[in-house]
Amino acid sequence: LSSRTSAAEKEMGGAEQREKQYRAHQGFGDHHGGVTSAHTYFYADEAKCDQHMDTFLHCIDASSGSSEDGFAAIKLTALARPQFLVRFSEVLVKWRRFFHQMAAEQDQAGWAVLDTKLEVEKLQEALDNLGIVSKAESQQWFMSENLGTSGTVDLLDWNSLFDSRTKLSRPLLIPNRKTGKLEPLLSRFSEEEELQMKRVLQRMDVLAKRAMEKGVRLMVDAEQSYFQPAISRLTVETQRRFNRSQPIIYNTYQCYLKEAYNNVTGDVELSRREGWHFSTKLVRGAYMEQERERAAQMGYEDPINPSYEKTNEMYHRCLDYVLEEIKHSRKASVMVASHNEDTVKFTLRRMMELGIHPSDKKVCFGQLLGMCDQITFPLGQAGFPVYKYVPYGPVNEVLPYLSRRAQENRGFMQRANRERDLLWKEVKRRLLTGNLFS
């Protein structure tokens, strides 16, 4: 719990100023609670983070030595202090919410993210009226960043403006709609926290360089929603550097989140504008029970889609968008990380309709080792790039992980029976044709 509380909060008791979703909570200090299918790291110190980085380097080397075009998965909570990730996530969410507040005042409430464009002149007047910055100052903002030359600013422009403003010594103030007062968007990081931010970026840089040297692709796993905005932002920053000529870094999008489609479409558009390869792993998500319980107890909106059917719809919607991008730009790649047969069939059908061939290696599939071989092996035999996700570590840690995955996949035993029936059917076919060992 202490690793998710900043030094300033400990000294001054400022936790109440934080958004509810981004406050540390005693009841959820143990991230394992209600988590069925993910391993969790606990922050000890920076030396432990360096040890985790070394483990990931060994994993990259092992993947390189065992297969061509392999993957290695990493988790940023193993490489950074959670307090930094939580605070950075809160700032990113507040800044994005402020954009949508401004959009609502320009009669664009509820518009799709990429369709929402603020008129620069009205935006400058609003910033002036709110007392955030004078019109002359805001004009300088937009001129120095070469933004708003078309007369409008979209969310991607807004985010790049955030990058430049937060580097200034003067704190960036935004209105708190509940209190009606201006508050600093980003309270000062302590010297130690600044070092932590630099260190996590350095660790990601080391891992990305090793992955590039070894011909291995690096998947950054998704985690809880109160970490995720920071994790995604840091991953995109790494993609900007390393995905210039080929997809090396893969971001992960959890399709049980209500914001999944907006996040995917926004990052695809950013990759188009800047000319790097968009690469992603799509998953349904691993933290549903914990996320829902935490939201209910702490009194903020549940970030999870209301039903499994809505999550399926979101998954297929995000997947379809990426497949369309692959068809049109060829600078996108996706791993369909799913044990769901309907999702695999949907992908194969859309690939055929869009003319995406397995040999293009723009679409690959992934299942956990020991699960759903009746999906994995036919895909591989048909020429599709398909991977088994391999947990590694001490037996006493890996077995509980696997048992939770079996619990998460509630239809696991049913699929195991189906796999057994298919194997028995194949044995009988070979006996009847006299080809038992072929």
Side-chain angles (χ1 to χ4, degrees), residues 262-426:
N262 285 341
N263 294 336
V264 169
T265 54
D267 288 348
V268 167
E269 176 61 24
L270 183 65
S271 71
R272 286 178 194 148
R273 293 184 189 181
E274 298 182 346
W276 44 269
H277 286 257
F278 175 84
S279 45
T280 178
K281 178 177 72 166
L282 291 180
V283 300
R284 278 174 171 77
Y287 305 97
M288 182 178 73
E289 291 176 19
Q290 186 194 74
E291 291 275 18
R292 286 204 162 135
E293 185 182 351
R294 191 176 186 274
Q297 283 199 28
M298 296 180 68
Y300 59 87
E301 183 186 349
D302 184 354
I304 308 294
N305 284 317
S307 67
Y308 185 73
E309 290 70 30
K310 287 292 182 185
T311 294
N312 277 347
E313 287 175 20
M314 180 68 81
Y315 193 105
H316 290 177
R317 189 183 182 200
C318 293
L319 176 56
D320 201 47
Y321 190 87
V322 178
L323 292 174
E324 290 276 1
E325 181 67 13
I326 290 170
K327 178 192 175 184
H328 294 300
S329 79
R330 316 305 290 179
K331 292 189 80 171
S333 304
V334 61
M335 170 176 271
V336 182
S338 177
H339 295 140
N340 187 300
E341 290 186 23
D342 291 336
T343 293
V344 173
K345 289 174 182 175
F346 172 85
T347 309
L348 299 179
R349 186 179 76 250
R350 290 298 289 142
M351 287 178 70
M352 188 179 296
E353 291 168 355
L354 295 169
I356 302 170
H357 196 269
S359 62
D360 296 339
K361 296 186 177 180
K362 296 290 186 181
V363 180
C364 61
F365 297 85
Q367 289 89 41
L368 192 68
L369 182 67
M371 288 191 186
C372 296
D373 288 349
Q374 81 276 10
I375 294 176
T376 310
F377 287 105
L379 284 171
Q381 289 163 347
F384 290 90
V386 58
Y387 295 83
K388 296 303 264 190
Y389 197 99
V390 185
Y392 58 91
V395 171
N396 65 333
E397 290 187 18
V398 174
L399 281 179
Y401 168 87
L402 289 171
S403 68
R404 291 197 303 271
R405 291 308 299 258
Q407 182 187 4
E408 174 210 26
N409 288 272
R410 291 183 176 88
F412 173 65
M413 289 310 297
Q414 183 181 350
R415 284 197 288 271
N417 291 336
R418 173 172 162 74
E419 189 168 356
R420 182 199 60 197
D421 293 341
L422 289 169
L423 288 167
W424 181 236
K425 186 177 177 182
E426 176 64 8

